[in-house]
Short mmCIF file of all heavy atoms in Angstrom, two decimals:
data_model
loop_
_atom_site.label_atom_id
_atom_site.label_comp_id
_atom_site.label_asym_id
_atom_site.label_seq_id
_atom_site.Cartn_x
_atom_site.Cartn_y
_atom_site.Cartn_z
N TYR E 273 125.85 -51.65 168.00
CA TYR E 273 126.68 -52.82 168.20
C TYR E 273 128.02 -52.80 167.47
O TYR E 273 129.09 -53.32 167.99
CB TYR E 273 125.92 -54.21 167.82
CG TYR E 273 124.89 -54.62 168.83
CD1 TYR E 273 123.64 -55.20 168.50
CD2 TYR E 273 125.29 -54.65 170.15
CE1 TYR E 273 122.78 -55.63 169.47
CE2 TYR E 273 124.44 -55.20 171.22
CZ TYR E 273 123.18 -55.60 170.89
OH TYR E 273 122.26 -56.08 171.82
N LYS E 274 127.95 -52.20 166.29
CA LYS E 274 129.25 -52.15 165.50
C LYS E 274 130.16 -51.14 166.15
O LYS E 274 131.34 -51.29 166.24
CB LYS E 274 128.93 -51.65 164.02
CG LYS E 274 128.46 -52.74 163.14
CD LYS E 274 127.82 -52.34 161.75
CE LYS E 274 128.78 -51.53 160.92
NZ LYS E 274 128.10 -51.12 159.68
N ALA E 275 129.45 -50.06 166.80
CA ALA E 275 130.32 -49.10 167.47
C ALA E 275 130.99 -49.75 168.77
O ALA E 275 132.13 -49.53 169.07
CB ALA E 275 129.52 -47.90 167.82
N HIS E 276 130.08 -50.55 169.50
CA HIS E 276 130.50 -51.19 170.65
C HIS E 276 131.75 -52.07 170.30
O HIS E 276 132.78 -52.03 170.92
CB HIS E 276 129.31 -51.93 171.31
CG HIS E 276 129.46 -53.01 172.24
ND1 HIS E 276 130.62 -52.96 173.13
CD2 HIS E 276 128.83 -54.07 172.56
CE1 HIS E 276 130.41 -53.93 173.92
NE2 HIS E 276 129.30 -54.67 173.72
N PHE E 277 131.53 -52.92 169.32
CA PHE E 277 132.63 -53.90 168.99
C PHE E 277 133.89 -53.13 168.42
O PHE E 277 134.93 -53.54 168.86
CB PHE E 277 132.14 -54.84 167.80
CG PHE E 277 132.94 -56.01 167.65
CD1 PHE E 277 133.11 -56.96 168.62
CD2 PHE E 277 133.63 -56.29 166.44
CE1 PHE E 277 133.85 -58.16 168.49
CE2 PHE E 277 134.39 -57.38 166.16
CZ PHE E 277 134.47 -58.34 167.34
N SER E 278 133.66 -52.07 167.68
CA SER E 278 134.85 -51.40 167.10
C SER E 278 135.70 -50.75 168.16
O SER E 278 136.82 -50.76 168.21
CB SER E 278 134.38 -50.34 166.19
OG SER E 278 133.69 -50.83 165.09
N LEU E 279 134.97 -50.16 169.14
CA LEU E 279 135.64 -49.45 170.21
C LEU E 279 136.37 -50.43 171.21
O LEU E 279 137.47 -50.18 171.70
CB LEU E 279 134.63 -48.62 170.95
CG LEU E 279 134.62 -47.06 170.49
CD1 LEU E 279 135.91 -46.35 170.87
CD2 LEU E 279 134.45 -46.93 169.00
N TRP E 280 135.71 -51.66 171.42
CA TRP E 280 136.31 -52.63 172.25
C TRP E 280 137.79 -53.03 171.49
O TRP E 280 138.86 -53.17 172.11
CB TRP E 280 135.47 -53.88 172.49
CG TRP E 280 134.92 -53.82 173.74
CD1 TRP E 280 134.95 -54.78 174.71
CD2 TRP E 280 134.04 -52.82 174.44
NE1 TRP E 280 134.19 -54.58 175.84
CE2 TRP E 280 133.58 -53.34 175.66
CE3 TRP E 280 133.53 -51.47 173.99
CZ2 TRP E 280 132.74 -52.48 176.49
CZ3 TRP E 280 132.72 -50.82 174.82
CH2 TRP E 280 132.34 -51.31 175.99
N ALA E 281 137.73 -53.05 170.10
CA ALA E 281 138.85 -53.42 169.50
C ALA E 281 139.86 -52.44 169.44
O ALA E 281 141.12 -52.67 169.64
CB ALA E 281 138.47 -53.84 167.96
N ILE E 282 139.51 -51.17 169.32
CA ILE E 282 140.51 -50.10 169.26
C ILE E 282 141.03 -49.82 170.62
O ILE E 282 142.25 -49.39 170.84
CB ILE E 282 139.89 -48.78 168.59
CG1 ILE E 282 141.12 -48.03 167.85
CG2 ILE E 282 139.26 -47.81 169.59
CD1 ILE E 282 140.64 -47.20 166.71
N MET E 283 140.30 -50.27 171.66
CA MET E 283 140.78 -50.08 173.11
C MET E 283 141.55 -51.34 173.56
O MET E 283 141.89 -51.64 174.68
CB MET E 283 139.66 -49.87 174.11
CG MET E 283 138.96 -48.46 173.87
SD MET E 283 137.78 -47.98 175.25
CE MET E 283 136.62 -49.30 175.19
N ALA E 284 141.82 -52.25 172.55
CA ALA E 284 142.60 -53.59 172.78
C ALA E 284 141.92 -54.21 174.14
O ALA E 284 142.58 -54.66 174.98
CB ALA E 284 143.96 -53.22 173.06
N ALA E 285 140.66 -54.28 174.06
CA ALA E 285 139.95 -54.95 175.16
C ALA E 285 139.70 -56.46 174.86
O ALA E 285 139.71 -56.89 173.67
CB ALA E 285 138.43 -54.31 175.27
N PRO E 286 139.64 -57.23 176.02
CA PRO E 286 139.36 -58.57 175.85
C PRO E 286 138.01 -58.68 175.12
O PRO E 286 137.06 -57.84 175.25
CB PRO E 286 139.16 -59.02 177.28
CG PRO E 286 139.95 -58.14 178.10
CD PRO E 286 139.93 -56.72 177.46
N LEU E 287 137.87 -59.62 174.28
CA LEU E 287 136.62 -59.76 173.43
C LEU E 287 136.00 -61.07 173.89
O LEU E 287 136.19 -62.18 173.46
CB LEU E 287 136.94 -59.96 171.99
CG LEU E 287 137.55 -58.64 171.34
CD1 LEU E 287 137.83 -58.92 169.86
CD2 LEU E 287 136.70 -57.41 171.50
N MET E 288 134.98 -60.99 174.84
CA MET E 288 134.38 -62.01 175.50
C MET E 288 132.99 -62.04 175.08
O MET E 288 132.16 -61.10 175.57
CB MET E 288 134.46 -62.17 176.96
CG MET E 288 135.83 -62.26 177.47
SD MET E 288 136.71 -63.80 177.01
CE MET E 288 135.95 -64.98 178.10
N ALA E 289 132.52 -62.73 174.00
CA ALA E 289 131.13 -62.68 173.46
C ALA E 289 130.18 -63.07 174.65
O ALA E 289 130.56 -63.82 175.58
CB ALA E 289 130.91 -63.67 172.42
N GLY E 290 128.97 -62.44 174.67
CA GLY E 290 128.16 -62.62 175.75
C GLY E 290 126.69 -62.88 175.36
O GLY E 290 125.76 -62.72 176.05
N ASN E 291 126.53 -63.45 174.19
CA ASN E 291 125.24 -63.76 173.41
C ASN E 291 125.15 -65.14 173.35
O ASN E 291 126.08 -66.00 173.52
CB ASN E 291 125.07 -62.99 172.07
CG ASN E 291 126.30 -63.39 171.13
OD1 ASN E 291 127.43 -63.33 171.52
ND2 ASN E 291 125.91 -63.77 170.05
N ASP E 292 123.93 -65.67 172.86
CA ASP E 292 123.72 -67.15 172.67
C ASP E 292 124.36 -67.42 171.30
O ASP E 292 123.75 -67.12 170.25
CB ASP E 292 122.17 -67.31 172.67
CG ASP E 292 121.92 -68.79 172.68
OD1 ASP E 292 122.81 -69.61 172.27
OD2 ASP E 292 120.69 -69.17 173.11
#
Side-chain angles (χ1 to χ4, degrees):
Y273 279 140
K274 277 164 67 178
H276 168 27
F277 194 66
S278 302
L279 266 289
W280 261 235
I282 212 153
M283 294 192 297
L287 298 178
M288 300 298 282
N291 57 312
D292 190 340

